[in-house]
Amino acid sequence: MTKTEEYKSSVISLVNLSRSYNEKIGIYQEHFINENFTFSVRLDNNTAIKISRTLAQDYEKLPSILTEEDLIEIAGSLWEI
């Protein structure tokens, strides 16, 4: 994985929005792009979530494309690190 700043504002927004679907989601610390071109987002409580690079890119251009299903998927990707 490679640390990146790509679409950082979108990633932070998506983390914050997804927290309403999973209260265990912590505060954004940094994010990485992995071999599948998905963002792995490290959070402050020793957890991480995955966010689609495509979703972050699209959300940055047109926030209205975000669906509840997108947020549920992000919230469900939480894992301990």
Side-chain angles (χ1 to χ4, degrees):
M1 290 192 300
T2 304
K3 186 175 176 178
T4 183
E5 296 286 314
E6 187 176 39
Y7 306 114
K8 183 176 180 177
S9 63
S10 292
V11 170
I12 292 171
S13 292
L14 291 166
V15 167
N16 292 337
L17 290 167
S18 64
R19 192 173 300 113
S20 64
Y21 294 89
N22 187 339
E23 63 188 28
K24 294 179 182 176
I25 292 174
I27 305 299
Y28 171 92
Q29 295 295 300
E30 60 188 346
H31 68 287
F32 303 83
I33 191 153
N34 64 32
E35 60 279 351
N36 298 324
F37 299 102
T38 299
F39 292 133
S40 296
V41 184
R42 189 173 70 83
L43 307 171
D44 71 335
N45 59 354
N46 293 319
T47 61
I49 57 174
K50 290 189 179 181
I51 295 177
S52 158
R53 182 179 181 271
T54 303
L55 178 61
Q57 180 180 21
D58 292 348
Y59 181 74
E60 187 167 289
K61 293 177 185 172
L62 187 64
S64 64
I65 60 96
L66 185 66
T67 66
E68 184 175 22
E69 289 79 22
D70 293 327
L71 294 173
I72 291 169
E73 183 177 341
I74 294 168
S77 73
L78 183 75
W79 81 92
E80 289 187 28
I81 52 174

